Amino acid sequence: MTDEPLNARELGIRSRAAVHARDRETWLSLFADDAFVQDPIGPSPFDPEGKGHHGREAIAAFYDTVIAPSESITFEITESYLCGDEVADVGIIRTRIAGGSHDAIVRGVYTYRSNGAGKLASLRAFWEFDALELVEVED
C-alpha cells in the first residue's frame, strides 16, 4: 500500500488548521519552494502592488505581518469543490484583531492548488477588501 500525496482539499484543511493553531512552521511546511499566496487577490494594504507573495521567504513574511499579529483566526467553510489539483472553498474567515476588541469578518472563495506531490503550489483568496466587516467583540 502506497501513501498518496495530499490533495488540494486536504492541504487546504491542514493550512487552515495550522493558521488556527498559530503554528507558523507547520503552515510554511505545506508550501512548495516556488509557491505563491495572494490574499486577497489584487492590490490591498497587505500587497500594495497586487502581485502576491512568491516563494517561501515572501510567504513567511506574509505570515509574520498579516497572520501572526492577530489574536485568533477561525474558518467557517460552507462549501468545497475539489477539481483536479485545485479546490475552491467558500466561507467566512473571522480574525480577532490584536487588542481583542474587534473581529474582521471576510466572506469569500479560497482556492488551494496542489503541486501534485503533496505541497501547496498556491493559495488564492477571492474577497473584497472594501467589503470586510469590522465588528466589536461583545464580552
Side-chain angles (χ1 to χ4, degrees):
M1 184 170 146
T2 61
D3 290 329
E4 293 290 320
L6 297 173
N7 68 34
R9 179 178 284 143
E10 294 162 335
L11 287 164
I13 290 168
R14 289 188 183 197
S15 171
R16 292 188 298 273
V19 168
H20 180 74
R22 310 190 63 70
D23 186 344
R24 178 185 189 269
E25 295 313 310
T26 295
W27 188 72
L28 291 173
S29 75
L30 295 171
F31 291 91
D33 291 339
D34 60 347
F36 68 94
V37 170
Q38 291 177 289
D39 184 359
I41 294 168
S44 76
F46 306 143
D47 180 14
E49 293 182 17
K51 295 181 179 179
H53 311 275
H54 297 263
R56 283 193 180 215
E57 188 174 313
I59 292 169
F62 172 82
Y63 185 97
D64 294 342
T65 59
V66 177
I67 296 172
S70 66
E71 293 207 357
S72 66
I73 299 177
T74 59
F75 302 86
E76 301 167 28
I77 301 302
T78 57
E79 299 171 70
S80 182
Y81 304 96
L82 180 65
C83 302
D85 286 336
E86 298 189 62
V87 67
D89 292 331
V90 180
I92 298 171
I93 299 175
R94 292 180 189 273
T95 303
R96 179 73 39 95
I97 296 173
S101 62
H102 289 85
D103 281 350
I105 300 172
V106 171
R107 290 171 173 77
V109 177
Y110 313 99
T111 67
Y112 302 84
R113 184 168 49 91
S114 166
N115 68 357
K119 295 287 185 179
L120 284 170
S122 69
L123 184 167
R124 300 178 75 217
F126 294 79
W127 60 276
E128 298 176 37
F129 200 87
D130 292 344
L132 178 147
E133 293 179 53
L134 196 59
V135 297
E136 192 168 348
V137 174
E138 297 183 22
D139 293 327

